[in-house]
Amino acid sequence: AGSLMTTKHSQPQSTFAKSLTSTSTNTPYFKVPESTEIPPYVTKCPSNGLCSRLPPDCMTCNTNYSCIYGKPSTFDCKVKPHVHCVDENNHEQENFTINMTCQFCWQLPTADYVCTNSTSCMTISCPRQRYNATCTVRDHIHCLGNRVFPKMHYCNWTGGYKWSTALALSITLGGFGADRFYLGQWREGLGKLFSFGGLGIWTLIDVLLIGVGYVGPADGSLYI
């Protein structure tokens, strides 16, 4: 009887084991599309173009530790998976060399990378305020190190306020506080409105302060 009970219980277990086995053998079948999925960087890589003209995201290069800073140097590179390129004779190749200046990405000129802007720091202050920006090297520029790096920048954003408009309002309607209202300085605007421009004295002072750029937008941005 004991053997019969074992036999009866062994059948469902073997069936369950078979179902697990069939499921596990089918698992790689569903994972195949993931392994053959084209990486996002391939969209930046022209097909069958010159390997030496590929963007940096399409290749992996070995660091040339013997290069002299600021001088042109040769680097050994290899294309990344799914990237196809050719040499000058139109022959497909994977390993090639490129020439670039020996310098790190954060040492590039400002025209060679793009940085984020901050809208939460004062552009007009003493000392001049700075903010932490995240910079990304442009696609066609080759350099050493990380292509995304932090850098300190001066606050230089604008909220869309025009200096000419503020000055014109200060000259024509400054006695009613129109210039201060335009710049977003509501308290000062109300003060000028109810004091008739400080009996004209405040109005003249604001014309000079706005004219030289000392008084700016309330949000701390620069004039256009």
Side-chain angles (χ1 to χ4, degrees):
S3 60
L4 288 176
M5 290 181 63
T6 305
T7 305
K8 289 181 180 180
H9 287 288
S10 64
Q11 290 179 353
Q13 289 177 356
S14 62
T15 305
F16 180 71
K18 288 181 180 180
S19 65
L20 287 179
T21 305
S22 61
T23 304
S24 61
T25 55
N26 289 336
T27 302
Y29 174 79
F30 294 103
K31 289 186 177 181
V32 169
E34 295 180 2
S35 60
T36 59
E37 184 178 356
I38 299 177
Y41 61 78
V42 176
T43 58
K44 300 181 180 180
C45 309
S47 180
N48 296 326
L50 289 175
C51 294
S52 58
R53 299 290 183 87
L54 287 175
D57 291 337
C58 306
M59 65 182 74
T60 303
C61 299
N62 296 327
T63 304
N64 186 352
Y65 293 100
S66 62
C67 69
I68 302 175
Y69 171 73
K71 300 293 183 180
S73 184
T74 302
F75 292 81
D76 296 324
C77 302
K78 181 180 180 180
V79 293
K80 290 184 177 180
H82 302 284
V83 177
H84 303 280
C85 63
V86 297
D87 57 10
E88 290 76 5
N89 298 323
N90 205 27
H91 295 153
E92 187 172 353
Q93 63 177 171
E94 293 185 359
N95 300 303
F96 57 95
T97 60
I98 62 169
N99 296 320
M100 68 177 181
T101 305
C102 181
Q103 59 183 346
F104 286 97
C105 295
W106 60 270
Q107 297 173 319
L108 290 171
T110 55
D112 291 340
Y113 54 83
V114 180
C115 300
T116 56
N117 291 324
S118 174
T119 58
S120 60
C121 60
M122 299 293 291
T123 58
I124 302 176
S125 62
C126 186
R128 193 176 176 187
Q129 288 188 5
R130 295 191 178 196
Y131 69 98
N132 289 320
T134 302
C135 302
T136 305
V137 181
R138 299 185 184 274
D139 290 339
H140 64 282
I141 302 297
H142 292 271
C143 56
L144 302 176
N146 295 327
R147 299 184 62 81
V148 179
F149 54 91
K151 202 161 190 177
M152 293 292 293
H153 275 204
Y154 284 111
C155 301
N156 59 352
W157 64 285
T158 177
Y161 296 94
K162 292 184 178 180
W163 172 82
S164 57
T165 302
L167 183 60
L169 290 175
S170 183
I171 295 174
T172 57
L173 300 174
F176 300 99
D179 50 352
R180 294 283 184 164
F181 286 128
Y182 171 73
L183 296 175
Q185 302 175 6
W186 295 97
R187 294 180 180 178
E188 292 81 355
L190 292 174
K192 291 182 69 174
L193 177 62
F194 291 111
S195 66
F196 300 103
L199 300 178
I201 298 176
W202 194 350
T203 302
L204 294 176
I205 294 175
D206 271 358
V207 171
L208 294 176
L209 294 179
I210 294 176
V212 300
Y214 184 80
V215 173
D219 58 7
S221 63
L222 293 174
Y223 286 116
I224 296 178

